Structures are given as C-alpha cells and as structure tokens.
Amino acid sequence: RMSRHAKKLRDHDINPCLAETDATTKCMDDNNYQKDMCTDYFLKYKNCRKFWHGIMMQRKRNGVKPEMPSAEERKKILESVG
C-alpha cells in the first residue's frame, strides 16, 4: 500500500517529471545502481524539475492557481516552447 506522499508523486497532475523519474529508476535498476551509467537520465530529470519549478514560481508571482499546471496544461506549455 502506497503512502499519501508516494501517491502524490505518481500523480501526473502533481509531478510533471514522472516520465523522467521512471526512466532514471529503470536505468538505475538496469545498471546495478551505478550512477555514472545514468548521468543523462539524472540530467534530464534535473532539467525537468528546474523548468517546471520556474513555471511554478512565475505562476505563484502572478497569483495563478494551481501553481503547478495540470498535466493537460503542461502539455500545451511544452508544445508552445517547442
């Protein structure tokens, strides 16, 4: 049974970097937890977090709720930035 926190992290509307999280975890599993084998995955995850954190802070400053856009909204944002 998953904790409330774990469920939140699996929610596409709350965690914008779910795909990157899963890819990183899979890479670590596949490579016997040798971090240096998964550098690209860690970087993609870090960049994803940084990007969405910036969006979230911008929305917070502008008084937009919710601060984290929904999965559907994020898709449109990503399409607009190419």
Side-chain angles (χ1 to χ4, degrees), residues 51-62:
F51 177 80
W52 290 112
H53 181 74
I55 299 277
M56 220 169 82
M57 296 318 289
Q58 187 68 52
R59 286 169 65 106
K60 192 175 190 169
R61 276 192 298 273
N62 297 339

Side-chain angles (χ1 to χ4, degrees), residues 62-80:
N62 297 339
V64 179
K65 297 273 181 199
E67 286 157 13
M68 177 55 71
S70 68
E72 193 54 44
E73 226 180 317
R74 288 195 311 267
K75 204 166 120 184
K76 290 176 185 146
I77 292 170
L78 287 176
E79 284 165 3
S80 76

Side-chain angles (χ1 to χ4, degrees), residues 32-59:
N32 208 20
Y33 293 87
Q34 291 179 304
K35 277 188 174 178
D36 55 331
M37 302 290 283
C38 303
T39 310
D40 288 350
Y41 292 96
F42 284 114
L43 196 59
K44 282 180 189 158
Y45 173 77
K46 190 176 161 191
N47 289 337
C48 177
R49 295 296 307 171
K50 204 158 113 182
F51 177 80
W52 290 112
H53 181 74
I55 299 277
M56 220 169 82
M57 296 318 289
Q58 187 68 52
R59 286 169 65 106

